[in-house]
Amino acid sequence: MSTAFCTLFRVPYQVDASMKSTSRLKHSSHQAHHPAPIPPPPPPDDIFPSSYLEQAFSTNFHPCIKLTAQDEVAIACKKMFRNQLHDSLCLVACYKKIDAVIQNGPTCGLVALQMATQLFHPNRVPAIDEILTTAQNEGYTIQGEMFSASDMSRLARKLLHCETSVLNDGLASRHAIVQHILRGDPILVPYDADFNFEPCCKRGHKAHWAVVAGVIIAIPKAAVTDLRTYELNSGLTNLFHATEKSDKEALASLCQQGTLYILAKQGKSNWLGLWLYDNLQLSNSNLIEMDPNRVAEGSKYHLPKGGVVEGLCNQIVLLKKPQ
């Protein structure tokens, strides 16, 4: 029966059974010789490629790989110093790992607080919606913005059930602040964020929040008498990590002999920030007004009576684990 006849009179086109069988065999044979490729499994969480410091800045870096605290610090140092470390210089680091949280909308302060929560209650970190709702109910924010260090302190105390305090001289008390960080307690710092999220001075127009969870001291090796209680980084021979056995008081005293950096995270990047302490201090002290473009937009924000300069300028929030 021809195909034309079947089509004309709407008769189902008949295909010989042997043709069907042959077709299936050919199809099966074709599949047998060309099996679908099996995608490779993701790498285990605890295994790093040997050149992870280089791969971390390439498109081949696998997003499933989880960075340890030491890995994060090493990558931050690699990014900052770009192979320009002299053999006579060593970096001594102390950092409590915090997983990055990316903000949605003007919630940088709330996200910084959420990240800090990981150091207090790692198994029950509140969702950002819960933090936002609490802040709104307390009258601290409208859209998620936090233009008051005092309000941030009260919010942290309510959510984290920890001790909080606001320093009104910013980062001026360097030794005390370093001691606070070396004890494993974080600091919430408002500052102006540049295009790469590092501290800058824009008069508060780029006001942002970060959580500081570590320090690095760059110091001549000759000034360090004993590094036996520190762990040498496997990727950078100049980098040493403090351990539980390290003398934190002695480490804090090294700040007077070397260059001090802080390790921080903020809600617009997954990477650990490594910034000069002096730059963050200067940025924190220049927060004096809201961005005029924001004001012109007419969006509603909760501001203290004295504006940004009263709420943020030269102010930081110390968070301390309850005794």
Side-chain angles (χ1 to χ4, degrees):
M1 186 181 297
S2 70
T3 305
F5 181 86
C6 292
T7 303
L8 181 62
F9 292 95
R10 302 183 183 277
V11 178
Y13 179 51
Q14 301 293 325
V15 179
D16 184 76
S18 62
M19 292 175 62
K20 287 184 178 180
S21 176
T22 303
S23 176
R24 282 197 298 268
L25 286 172
K26 288 182 178 180
H27 184 64
S28 300
S29 175
H30 178 74
Q31 286 185 327
H33 288 291
H34 300 280
I38 300 175
D45 290 343
D46 58 345
I47 295 179
F48 251 93
S50 58
S51 58
Y52 71 87
L53 287 178
E54 287 73 22
Q55 292 193 29
F57 297 102
S58 73
T59 56
N60 297 324
F61 188 66
H62 202 293
C64 293
I65 295 176
K66 293 182 179 179
L67 300 173
T68 66
Q70 292 192 8
D71 297 328
E72 283 195 287
V73 173
I75 291 172
C77 290
K78 181 79 171 180
K79 183 178 179 181
M80 166 68 78
F81 298 106
R82 299 291 182 184
N83 296 321
Q84 295 179 359
L85 283 175
H86 298 288
D87 291 337
S88 61
L89 189 70
C90 73
L91 305 174
V92 184
C94 183
Y95 166 62
K96 287 288 187 180
K97 179 174 171 56
I98 291 178
D99 292 330
V101 179
I102 301 301
Q103 70 186 73
N104 182 19
T107 58
C108 57
L110 304 185
V111 164
L113 177 59
Q114 185 187 35
M115 287 190 280
T117 306
Q118 298 172 26
L119 300 182
F120 293 85
H121 311 292
N123 297 322
R124 46 189 179 92
V125 177
I128 192 64
D129 289 343
E130 178 185 345
I131 299 175
L132 174 60
T133 299
T134 302
Q136 289 172 330
N137 291 341
E138 295 293 326
Y140 300 150
T141 187
I142 296 176
Q143 303 181 49
E145 75 290 343
M146 292 296 292
F147 285 109
S148 168
S150 296
D151 287 348
M152 178 68 85
S153 177
R154 287 187 283 266
L155 180 62
R157 191 159 54 245
K158 182 178 182 65
L159 289 172
L160 274 63
H161 306 290
C162 66
E163 299 178 26
T164 68
S165 58
V166 177
L167 295 189
N168 294 312
D169 59 351
L171 293 158
S173 304
R174 180 174 305 215
H175 187 76
I177 289 172
V178 170
Q179 286 181 314
H180 179 89
I181 296 171
L182 293 179
R183 285 194 296 267
D185 291 324
I187 301 175
L188 300 176
V189 182
Y191 73 105
D192 265 335
D194 211 343
F195 67 94
N196 58 358
F197 316 120
E198 293 184 2
C200 66
C201 293
K202 302 286 186 180
R203 298 173 58 84
H205 297 184
K206 300 296 182 181
H208 195 44
W209 282 90
V211 53
V212 177
V215 296
I216 285 183
I217 303 170
I219 189 169
K221 287 183 178 179
V224 184
T225 57
D226 189 3
L227 287 172
R228 287 177 297 178
T229 60
Y230 294 83
E231 186 174 342
L232 178 63
N233 186 268
S234 59
L236 288 178
T237 57
N238 300 68
L239 177 59
F240 296 84
H241 301 274
T243 66
E244 293 297 327
K245 297 180 180 180
S246 302
D247 187 344
K248 303 301 193 304
E249 185 61 38
L251 179 56
S253 66
L254 290 178
C255 296
Q256 301 175 359
Q257 306 176 51
T259 303
L260 180 61
Y261 297 84
I262 61 93
L263 294 163
K265 284 197 172 177
Q266 44 77 38
K268 293 186 177 180
S269 174
N270 286 311
W271 297 107
L272 179 66
L274 173 57
W275 308 327
L276 273 169
Y277 185 99
D278 291 343
N279 288 352
L280 184 61
Q281 181 180 2
L282 190 61
S283 182
N284 173 256
S285 66
N286 102 117
L287 304 174
I288 60 175
E289 64 183 18
M290 182 180 282
D291 182 1
N293 292 327
R294 278 193 177 188
V295 177
E297 289 172 358
S299 298
K300 292 184 178 180
Y301 299 106
H302 177 76
L303 285 166
K305 292 181 179 180
V308 172
V309 67
E310 178 186 305
L312 299 179
C313 186
N314 261 329
Q315 298 181 63
I316 64 174
V317 181
L318 304 184
L319 308 180
K320 185 179 179 181
K321 299 181 185 70
Q323 299 297 328

